[in-house]
Amino acid sequence: MPRIQARTAVAFQVKAGERIRVINTFGKQVVDFWAFNPDDPHDFLSMVHCRTILRKVALENGDILYSSRRKPMLTLVEDTTRGVHDMIWSACDKERYRMQGFQGYHDNCTDSMHKALKDNFPQFPMADDWLPDPLNLFMNIAIDHHGGLDIRVPTSEKGQHVTIQAEKDLIIVMSSCPQDLDPVNGGTPTDCEYQVLEASGTTHSATLTVAPAPSTARKIKIALSVDFDAVSHWLGTGCHKDNNMADYSSGIFAGQVGVYRLLNLFKKHGIADKMTWFIPGHTAETFPDAAGTVFEAGAEIALHGYSHEGIYQMTEEQERDVLLKCIDVATKLTGRKPRGYRAPMYTIRETTVKLLREHGFLYDSSLMHHDSQPYFTPSDPPIKPIDWSQPASSWLQPSTIASQAYPEGQHPLVELPCGWYNEDMMPMMYLPHLANSMGYVSTHTVEQMWKDKFMWLLENGSLEGNEFADFIFPILVHPDVTGLAHIIGMVDRFISWLKGFGESVQFCKCEDIATSWLETQQKLSGKI
């Protein structure tokens, strides 16, 4: 496989439709990337035009890169890194190293680019004292809230790569950056491999051997789910004496508009059949066409109460009757008994767990003992609240917390993590009679919070995982919220960002995650 030797550059020509794959062979190495129109020296890949047309300073899969004539030149079609690249920093040159205090000559990307271009395309006209700003692949330049720039170690790992498609015939120049005075490359500059591929994925030349790039194998399961509350929310946990037509109207929006917007989004990303919808019985019977369309798309259907009942709104007898009704509704919709359950508003008690075990459910997703690993639903006794009318000695004692080991002698109910920080509703939907709803939190704030969580788990989650997965990443959305025009684009971006991690991530139904995890635990416990 061809290499860009450390501290040097390469130049070659590609045809429209061909793809350039740049592999961070040893990790942390920055590659300065240029592209030129061979028939027009004034038409080149321009970062300033990319920034102004894209209106951002970060790239993601599917982004088109533009030329100085504002014409599409390249498209980023694959990125197995975390998506951290730079569109701001200029190429290093002799003066840059002099300003940093280096004495004598230092290899630099400016000279390397000119040498590679002249050696391979001597007739291509370019002034010796000029070059465009490069696209700095894998470079990590952080921008603080004052607009300051900070050079940080690249986040790319060994074997990760980007693939860029040429939209026209181009001259490509790439330099393995020699910077070793700043943490641009995380230390000593290294080689990077590259490939030129046909649009079909085959190599450009028989002399280039396609081999799988080395990679750090990761197993991350994305548990994307939808709580299809619709009107039911306003009947149960959202019940209030002042509820009116406007409140119910937002639920009708979910059942007539939001649900179809979400389905189209998930189908676009090819994940509509790799996720779970928790559908209250009231929603399934009030909007039967919508519920049927969700099922026909291949999604798992799980339970979420009938009228989104809060647990302490019901007696134990009512709770049982509601569960039986919901099992019946879901069975008629799908042709089989549901295997999963999520308590409305996460309101669950010990009787709920007992009922789920009694009816053979595979999993529940209502508790928060962990944020990124499955576990067995606990059999904790009720935690006793403090009675402040009694002497202090009555509460000065620990609570009893049950073991989460394999449950001997009872149905093994799996718990899949969930939580308020993994969902859209609390920060981004205004609920007039719910004190802790907001509705005006920026989508970018929520998106960044989800990314921060994912990135921390990417670096640390494997320490808690096993052969089943490094970690699972639960995300919960609602048609009432993410179905809104100002929010759905954020989830679209976030799904694209997750998919940018390539084969490391897998979108899964909750049922499949629970089944696989339970089988792993049964093997580890000697049950199978």
Side-chain angles (χ1 to χ4, degrees), residues 49-204:
H49 291 87
C50 288
R51 294 193 300 266
T52 54
I53 294 172
L54 297 176
R55 303 184 74 173
K56 59 182 181 178
V57 293
L59 295 177
E60 58 185 327
N61 279 345
D63 278 347
I64 296 173
L65 302 175
Y66 292 86
S67 76
S68 51
R69 299 197 185 281
R70 299 183 186 270
K71 301 298 183 183
M73 185 166 266
L74 299 139
T75 302
L76 179 61
V77 296
E78 182 185 28
D79 188 354
T80 67
T81 74
R82 302 177 190 178
V84 179
H85 308 284
D86 170 66
M87 302 170 65
I88 299 175
W89 214 256
S90 61
C92 60
D93 53 23
K94 291 180 287 187
E95 182 63 15
R96 165 70 174 162
Y97 291 105
R98 187 196 67 77
M99 294 172 67
Q100 290 185 282
F102 190 83
Q103 301 296 317
Y105 181 79
H106 193 292
D107 293 322
N108 61 85
C109 288
T110 298
D111 288 353
S112 294
M113 193 282 290
H114 279 290
K115 183 178 187 305
L117 193 59
K118 288 183 177 180
D119 287 350
N120 292 276
F121 301 94
Q123 302 305 316
F124 187 79
M126 177 179 285
D128 292 338
D129 59 353
W130 176 86
L131 82 169
D133 288 339
L135 166 60
N136 295 303
L137 296 173
F138 314 117
M139 192 172 187
N140 186 4
I141 300 296
I143 306 174
D144 66 26
H145 63 289
H146 293 299
L149 302 179
D150 183 26
I151 301 173
R152 297 182 180 177
V153 174
T155 62
S156 54
E157 300 293 346
K158 179 179 179 180
Q160 293 181 333
H161 65 267
V162 297
T163 305
I164 302 174
Q165 178 172 297
E167 302 303 335
K168 59 175 66 176
D169 293 354
L170 296 171
I171 293 173
I172 301 297
V173 184
M174 297 188 294
S175 171
S176 182
C177 181
Q179 176 62 263
D180 50 12
L181 305 182
D182 278 327
V184 168
N185 299 303
T188 303
T190 58
D191 299 355
C192 279
E193 295 171 305
Y194 68 95
Q195 296 172 301
V196 178
L197 309 173
E198 302 288 356
S200 62
T202 57
T203 53
H204 175 267

Side-chain angles (χ1 to χ4, degrees), residues 24-60:
N24 213 320
T25 309
F26 300 99
K28 311 304 181 190
Q29 177 61 44
V30 169
V31 174
D32 289 38
F33 184 101
W34 295 271
F36 302 90
N37 182 343
D39 300 320
D40 181 357
H42 299 292
D43 187 29
F44 51 83
L45 178 62
S46 170
M47 288 301 98
V48 65
H49 291 87
C50 288
R51 294 193 300 266
T52 54
I53 294 172
L54 297 176
R55 303 184 74 173
K56 59 182 181 178
V57 293
L59 295 177
E60 58 185 327

Side-chain angles (χ1 to χ4, degrees), residues 186-326:
T188 303
T190 58
D191 299 355
C192 279
E193 295 171 305
Y194 68 95
Q195 296 172 301
V196 178
L197 309 173
E198 302 288 356
S200 62
T202 57
T203 53
H204 175 267
S205 167
T207 61
L208 301 180
T209 303
V210 176
S215 63
T216 52
R218 306 299 301 271
K219 292 186 294 183
I220 302 163
K221 296 183 183 293
I222 309 298
L224 176 60
S225 64
V226 179
D227 282 6
F228 190 3
D229 297 345
V231 176
S232 74
H233 161 78
W234 301 99
L235 303 177
T237 57
C239 177
H240 191 276
K241 63 181 179 62
D242 294 331
N243 283 354
N244 57 71
M245 283 184 67
D247 299 318
Y248 301 131
S249 179
S250 68
I252 295 171
F253 167 88
Q256 293 184 341
V257 180
V259 57
Y260 296 107
R261 287 181 177 178
L262 290 189
L263 280 171
N264 288 336
L265 172 64
F266 301 145
K267 288 177 181 178
K268 182 184 81 169
H269 285 285
I271 60 173
D273 60 345
K274 300 175 179 66
M275 55 188 302
T276 300
W277 287 63
F278 293 85
I279 304 183
H282 181 275
T283 300
E285 294 193 318
T286 302
F287 303 100
D289 292 343
T293 303
V294 170
F295 174 64
E296 290 168 3
E300 177 198 1
I301 306 300
L303 302 191
H304 195 47
Y306 186 85
S307 294
H308 210 267
E309 299 87 354
I311 194 63
Y312 289 110
Q313 292 175 308
M314 299 184 290
T315 65
E316 292 184 23
E317 181 181 0
Q318 288 173 326
E319 180 185 13
R320 178 181 292 274
D321 290 344
V322 167
L323 182 65
L324 291 175
K325 170 67 174 179
C326 292

Side-chain angles (χ1 to χ4, degrees), residues 410-487:
Q410 62 180 352
H411 178 71
L413 183 63
V414 177
E415 192 69 32
L416 298 182
C418 60
W420 301 111
Y421 303 105
N422 302 332
E423 65 156 66
D424 56 353
M425 180 170 279
M426 284 301 104
M428 295 188 292
M429 183 174 182
Y430 175 59
L431 304 169
H433 313 305
L434 189 64
N436 61 348
S437 77
M438 298 181 194
Y440 292 91
V441 174
S442 167
T443 56
H444 296 285
T445 298
V446 176
E447 181 179 4
Q448 189 59 53
M449 179 175 65
W450 291 355
K451 286 182 177 180
D452 289 345
K453 177 177 179 178
F454 184 89
M455 294 308 299
W456 189 92
L457 289 171
L458 189 69
E459 295 178 0
N460 302 280
S462 60
L463 300 175
E464 301 171 341
N466 55 32
E467 63 183 71
F468 155 75
D470 288 3
F471 62 91
I472 70 172
F473 191 75
I475 289 293
L476 164 60
V477 299
H478 299 74
D480 328 47
V481 187
T482 292
L484 294 168
H486 69 288
I487 296 175

